[in-house]
Amino acid sequence: MDGVPNLTQDPVRPGSTKTYEFTVPDPGTYWSHPHVGVQRAHGLHAPLIVEDRHERGDYDAEFVVVLDDWLDGMAAAPEQVRGTLRAAKGMHPGYRTDVEEGRIEDRSGTWEYDVPEALAEPPAGVEPEPPQARLKRQVDYPAYLINGRLPTDPQTFTGNGRARIRLINASGSTVFRVALGEHRLTVTHTDGFPVEPVEVDTLQLGSGERYDVVTDLKSGVFPLVGVAEGKKAQAFAVVRTSKAGSAPQPTAQPGGLGGELLWLTDLRATAEVDTGSGTAGKTGTLYLTGDMMRFGWSINAKAYDPDRPFTSVEPLDIREGEPVRLDFVNQGNMYHPVHLHGHTFAVREIADIAGGAPTRLPRGTRKDTVMVAPGRRVGVDFTADNPGQWLVHCHNAYHVATGMASLVSYVR
């Protein structure tokens, strides 16, 4: 019941229906969406919250926050954008449009970023480029949304006491930096799984990622923002705990955006979900590659074709019960949020492919989507405990729609 056309099911044809029935294996913050072309970029997605019957529920309010980028009906349709990117000439194809809602002053030059060696020290003759520029690449949007609402008509979240905020990045291709005015945020879960609590001012979400945070709400009215990295715009909502006070302007930027940023290496799985650090029985390397001249994206130099999934790529064959190590290697110049279907993995190792000792994470967080920076290798482990045929892909809608996917295939 995975919803990938021609791999786990036939596409749902116009005018027809399909009922999905499945046993929920894990509690947490999830979401659902299609895998046909760029349909997700039309807003065809929804949160899927799985409550934990064993959780203490030590919070007084709960906010579900869906971050999105938007152009349908305001600029070109997503299919037209994909066509523009494919038809572009030159090394940096892109779709450009002006921000219509939520434009902000660019203060990102003073913010924290994780900068791989490949970005900090590019080869001779190559101009260094700030990470926010690489995070921005390719598609501009006229608006960025929280729960489907424009910054000029924001959703207002109300409550008092301790709040749990479930963050979901459902965007087509935007990395969001999230902060809540005058509040620190304690990260408790990522992609549905609990982590040892980490307190920060701000955190980044790549497309497909989810984070749960908690905070003790102060009295007043506060901006909750998701800055679209590198795009001089933000998604905007309001958190109100008092009837008094005017709502902040949609251009308000919390000071926390420039404060302490969450790093992937900060996250440690809690004891109950830690999978240990066993030796992998099967290893696979997935090279994230692209042809910028024709906007073609691939894994291991093979472009995934949804009409013939098993012949367009070389699946990684695994067997039920064996431990598996996957290495995601980003040889390109863009960030890629990589998602594995049907499993969660433990992040075990992060390294610069240019050299240097890797950072090992014996209690690395459990995730199903991880941002892989240019020039980085991220090693993840999982146990082959869910037989089937599973897609692994970049969660940028325009990358996966032009081939950046492969298969993990159970064999007997």
Side-chain angles (χ1 to χ4, degrees):
M1 293 292 178
D2 193 40
V4 180
N6 305 314
L7 181 66
T8 61
Q9 68 168 84
D10 292 330
V12 182
R13 300 296 177 185
S16 64
T17 63
K18 179 175 177 61
T19 300
Y20 291 84
E21 297 179 356
F22 55 96
T23 299
V24 177
D26 301 298
T29 302
Y30 301 94
W31 65 306
S32 60
H33 57 87
H35 285 79
V36 177
V38 288
Q39 286 182 353
R40 171 165 57 91
H42 288 279
L44 190 55
H45 52 71
L48 178 62
I49 308 302
V50 182
E51 300 289 354
D52 187 349
R53 69 181 66 182
H54 303 297
E55 188 178 63
R56 293 176 300 171
D58 55 347
Y59 49 89
D60 305 292
E62 181 173 279
F63 310 147
V64 178
V65 178
V66 181
L67 299 149
D68 202 1
D69 44 27
W70 195 260
L71 42 73
D72 200 9
M74 299 179 72
E79 290 77 11
Q80 294 173 307
V81 171
R82 180 176 59 179
T84 297
L85 294 170
R86 293 292 296 228
K89 306 296 183 182
M91 283 300 293
H92 298 297
Y95 175 82
R96 305 294 176 232
T97 189
D98 291 333
V99 177
E100 295 184 27
E101 300 277 0
R103 177 179 290 278
I104 58 172
E105 180 182 350
D106 183 10
R107 298 174 179 169
S108 61
T110 62
W111 297 347
E112 281 191 331
Y113 288 92
D114 178 17
V115 183
E117 184 178 336
L119 299 187
E121 299 180 9
V126 177
E127 287 292 325
E129 190 173 14
Q132 55 268 46
R134 295 199 187 259
L135 288 164
K136 168 189 184 296
R137 279 279 170 78
Q138 294 174 329
V139 181
D140 289 340
Y141 294 83
Y144 302 87
L145 314 178
I146 287 179
N147 293 0
R149 301 184 68 154
L150 294 167
T152 49
D153 181 29
Q155 178 165 350
T156 297
F157 297 97
T158 59
N160 286 281
R162 190 166 179 80
R164 177 178 190 162
I165 306 175
R166 298 180 184 264
L167 300 166
I168 302 170
N169 185 349
S171 71
S173 64
T174 298
V175 177
F176 285 100
R177 177 181 292 245
V178 174
L180 174 60
E182 300 182 36
H183 289 75
R184 297 263 288 173
L185 304 173
T186 299
V187 179
T188 62
H189 297 72
T190 178
D191 295 354
F193 280 80
V195 296
E196 299 291 347
V198 182
E199 189 177 68
V200 295
D201 295 302
T202 186
L203 64 157
Q204 292 173 317
L205 289 85
S207 181
E209 287 191 295
R210 292 92 60 207
Y211 281 92
D212 290 13
V213 301
V214 296
T215 190
D216 292 316
L217 295 172
K218 300 178 181 179
S219 179
V221 192
F222 308 97
L224 174 63
V225 308
V227 171
E229 286 281 14
K231 299 181 180 183
K232 301 179 182 179
Q234 67 183 16
F236 178 82
V238 173
V239 174
R240 179 179 286 275
T241 64
S242 170
K243 293 182 180 179
S246 301
Q249 294 298 309
T251 55
Q253 294 186 61
L257 292 166
E260 184 178 0
L261 176 68
L262 178 73
W263 308 106
L264 185 59
T265 51
D266 293 335
L267 298 172
R268 291 173 173 78
T270 59
E272 63 267 28
V273 300
D274 183 26
T275 58
S277 54
T279 302
K282 177 77 175 188
T283 60
T285 302
L286 282 70
Y287 292 97
L288 312 176
T289 54
D291 182 348
M292 293 297 292
M293 295 299 292
R294 64 179 184 87
F295 197 80
W297 298 94
S298 59
I299 291 178
N300 293 343
K302 299 284 187 179
Y304 179 81
D305 182 348
D307 292 328
R308 50 185 194 93
F310 288 102
T311 58
S312 62
V313 298
E314 296 178 6
L316 174 67
D317 291 339
I318 62 176
R319 297 182 184 276
E320 185 177 3
E322 70 179 344
V324 181
R325 159 62 65 92
L326 292 181
D327 283 316
F328 304 127
V329 181
N330 189 348
Q331 297 180 306
N333 61 2
M334 290 190 61
Y335 288 74
H336 296 292
V338 181
H339 173 55
L340 173 64
H341 283 228
H343 304 78
T344 60
F345 47 71
V347 180
R348 293 298 188 207
E349 192 170 282
I350 302 173
D352 282 348
I353 62 177
T359 299
R360 303 189 191 280
L361 303 169
R363 284 189 57 195
T365 183
R366 294 272 295 276
K367 288 180 68 64
D368 58 44
T369 307
V370 64
M371 283 281 288
V372 185
R376 280 272 168 84
R377 174 177 62 83
V378 178
V380 305
D381 293 345
F382 68 94
T383 299
D385 59 2
N386 192 12
Q389 308 301 320
W390 302 105
L391 198 66
V392 55
H393 63 93
C394 176
H395 226 297
N396 181 310
Y398 298 98
H399 292 181
V400 65
T402 51
M404 200 168 207
S406 190
L407 298 178
V408 173
S409 176
Y410 280 72
V411 297
R412 296 185 185 275

